[in-house]
Each structure stands twice: as structure tokens, then as C-alpha cells.
Amino acid sequence: MAYETIIVEIEDEIALIRLNRPEALNALNSTLITELSEALTEADRNDKIRCIVLTGSEKAFAAGADIKEMSQKSFVDVYDEDLFGPQIDAIGRIRKPIIAAVSGYALGGGCELAMVCDFIIAAENAKFGQPEINLGVIAGIGGTQRLTRFVGKAKAMDMNLTGRFMEATEAERAGLVSRVVPTPKLIPEAMAAARKIAEKSQLTVKAVKESVNRAYETTLREGLLFERRSFHAMFATEDQKEGMAAFLEKREAQFRDR
Ligand code: CO8
């Protein structure tokens, strides 16, 4: 499918999706966010895709929601259309893993989009921020909620109140990103991580994603019970028998997603 604001490539069972509005540092306008949620939903349905990498350009993952498009909207407009809400919720419901490969600016909605992915690999030049306060608004799709859970209250308050940017090394220290890599190596590293995930049984990949997400969405007691039942359920799969037999026979497992 041809898109106007994103580029989708499929390689080795990985969908590599690039945000592509270079004239606006990949600012998220309504076309981009709609195309992105459609492409991700399509990738989720496609049996030939086992993992997704989402990236931008070297200069910008995304510099936020498109300020030009938003600036004249009224309360009634944004409330009535639930600006970006349905699309970001749809992205949050994708069952396949999504790795955000972030180079350059990930600001406002760009930082929030990266956080809705399953984990973030950052290039050394990455800069994260929630500068909405400088525009007379606040974050609207996770910048006060997901960021607080990821980096804690002190840094989330600091970033949302001052609008300052966080460099990649600080973001890694704070737990916002899983690893920092040299900028030219960002895509190869993210693709290698995606290929590692693609080798696993997709049943267990889904169960991991569901269980880790429970840690953010429910109590510890409920999350532990969910994890334990998911672990038990794995024993109903052929891939559990294959994975454990392969270990004992000192060979590579051949998972069949069954
Ligand atoms: N929207 C629209 N256009 C943008 C945006 C943006 N967010 N960011 C950059 N651009 C455009 C610039 O206007 C410029 O266009 P032009 O060449 O036509 O003037 C072009 O991209 C290049 O940008 P700069 O010349 O500014 O590049 P610099 O390298 O000098 O600066 C910065 C880069 C620091 C990233 C700077 O562009 C900047 O501060 N951008 C805005 C960052 C920002 O405030 N982001 C938050 C936006 S609000 C938001 O994301 C809310 C999300 C929640 C929405 C959903 C609610 C429910």
C-alpha cells in the first residue's frame, strides 16, 4: 500500500516503518498518525511479519504533533475528534513487538509515540522532551503518564515543567531507553534486535508482551497471577516441548508458533 507520510519496507520478516515528513522534522499530522496506525494494524495482521521497527530520520524521530495543523483548533474540535486518541490507542493494541529506533529529536507527541512502542533503542544523538508547556499546552498522549512510570516523578515533572530535552545517555540511565548505540549503527542494531525476536516462538513473544504490559496496567498481585497463568499456558504448546527438547539435545530449537 502506498502512503504519503511513511515508508514501509519488509525485510527478513521485519517491517521497517519510517516516518517521512522531512520538511517538518516528521511532525505528526493527522495524515501521518492515521497512516501509521493503519500500517501497524496491517503489519499486525500479516503472517509474514514477526516484528516491527519504527524509525524517523537521522535528525528527527518526530518533533511532536504538527503545531501548524493544531494551532487554530478549538476545544470543541479536539474534544470532538479526540485528537490522535483513537490512533494512538490502536498502536497500543498492536500484538507484535514494536521497537522504536530513535535518532535526533523525539519531542512531545514524538516522545509519546516512542513510548507507546515496546522498547526504545536510541542513537547517541537522540534527544527526548515534552516541551508542550512552551506552547501553552500539556502532553496529551502519554507524556505525563507513561513517562512518569518509565523515569519516575522527579524527571517526568522536570521534563514536563521545564520543557528541557534529555540526551540519550541520561535517557538510558533513567530507564526510558533500553540501549544507546552509535548513530550510524541505529538501524542495523534495531534490525538485529528485531531478527532475534523473530526467531522465537511467536506464542511466547505475545505472552511476554502481554505480561510485561500488565506490570504497567494492574496491581503487582494481579500481574503476578497473569504471568503465572501465562507461564502455565505455555505448557499447552508444541513450542515448549520443542524448546526444552532442543536444549536437552544440544541443538537449535525449530519453533513452529504452535
Ligand atoms: N510541528 C510543525 N512543524 C514543525 C514542528 C512541529 N512540531 N517541529 C519542527 N517543525 C518544522 C519547522 O517549523 C521548520 O519548518 P520551516 O522550515 O517550514 O520553517 C522545520 O520543521 C525545521 O524545523 P526548525 O527550523 O525549527 O529546526 P531546528 O533544527 O532549528 O529546531 C527543533 C529543531 C528544536 C526540534 C524545533 O523545530 C522545535 O522546537 N520544534 C517543535 C518541538 C515541539 O514543541 N514539539 C511539541 C509539539 S506539541 C505536541 O507534540 C503535543 C502532542 C499531543 C497531541 C495529542 C493530544 C491529544
Side-chain angles (χ1 to χ4, degrees):
M1 189 157 162
Y3 295 106
E4 208 182 295
T5 58
I6 60 173
I7 298 168
V8 182
E9 295 162 56
I10 300 174
E11 189 188 308
D12 297 341
E13 303 181 300
I14 316 298
L16 173 62
I17 303 182
R18 290 176 193 273
L19 307 181
N20 186 37
R21 293 191 68 217
E23 71 286 1
L25 301 183
N26 294 330
L28 314 172
N29 63 7
S30 49
T31 306
L32 186 150
I33 199 80
T34 301
E35 289 189 343
L36 180 61
S37 82
E38 282 172 11
L40 288 167
T41 305
E42 184 55 39
D44 211 22
R45 277 198 216 112
N46 184 339
D47 290 342
K48 296 195 181 77
I49 294 171
R50 296 166 77 85
C51 193
I52 300 159
V53 174
L54 177 62
T55 195
S57 66
E58 186 173 324
K59 179 162 183 192
F61 176 74
D66 191 307
I67 300 167
K68 211 180 282 176
E69 190 184 71
M70 263 186 319
S71 63
Q72 295 308 313
K73 286 186 190 284
S74 67
F75 166 77
V76 173
D77 294 332
V78 294
Y79 179 74
D80 197 39
E81 75 182 84
D82 190 12
L83 185 67
F84 290 5
Q87 297 94 334
I88 209 83
D89 292 347
I91 296 171
R93 282 195 300 272
I94 300 295
R95 298 188 74 199
K96 288 177 188 165
I98 310 175
I99 303 173
V102 173
S103 180
Y105 297 109
L107 305 177
C111 185
E112 294 168 304
L113 175 62
M115 288 191 291
V116 93
C117 297
D118 294 303
F119 63 96
I120 302 173
I121 300 181
E124 278 167 346
N125 73 343
K127 288 179 179 55
F128 298 87
Q130 298 293 159
E132 288 91 339
I133 197 157
N134 298 329
L135 301 168
V137 292
I138 71 165
I141 45 174
T144 68
Q145 300 302 302
R146 286 196 182 90
L147 186 65
T148 307
R149 288 171 190 228
F150 296 168
V151 306
K153 181 180 169 188
K155 278 193 193 288
M157 277 289 190
D158 180 359
M159 287 173 71
N160 276 283
L161 285 174
T162 66
R164 80 170 173 91
F165 300 164
M166 198 189 255
E167 303 278 338
T169 45
E170 184 185 357
E172 187 185 26
R173 266 201 322 272
L176 178 58
V177 313
S178 71
R179 22 181 149 158
V180 179
V181 300
T183 303
K185 294 215 167 122
L186 178 67
I187 299 302
E189 290 268 352
M191 291 297 281
R195 275 193 290 273
K196 272 262 164 266
I197 295 168
E199 286 169 7
K200 320 290 185 209
S201 164
Q202 295 304 290
L203 297 173
T204 53
V205 165
K206 284 198 180 78
V208 167
K209 179 164 170 167
E210 285 175 358
S211 289
V212 174
N213 282 334
R214 278 296 180 289
Y216 288 95
E217 289 161 4
T218 189
T219 61
L220 181 60
R221 181 188 286 265
E222 289 301 319
L224 286 169
L225 181 60
F226 185 90
E227 176 193 77
R228 196 167 306 170
R229 287 288 173 269
S230 300
F231 172 81
H232 295 158
M234 296 294 109
F235 285 75
T237 68
E238 291 173 19
D239 284 344
Q240 173 267 327
K241 302 287 175 292
E242 167 61 12
M244 293 193 181
F247 175 81
L248 295 173
E249 292 161 18
K250 301 188 189 306
R251 61 173 175 83
E252 287 284 312
Q254 301 293 321
F255 292 124
R256 297 176 57 236
D257 305 334
R258 286 173 193 282

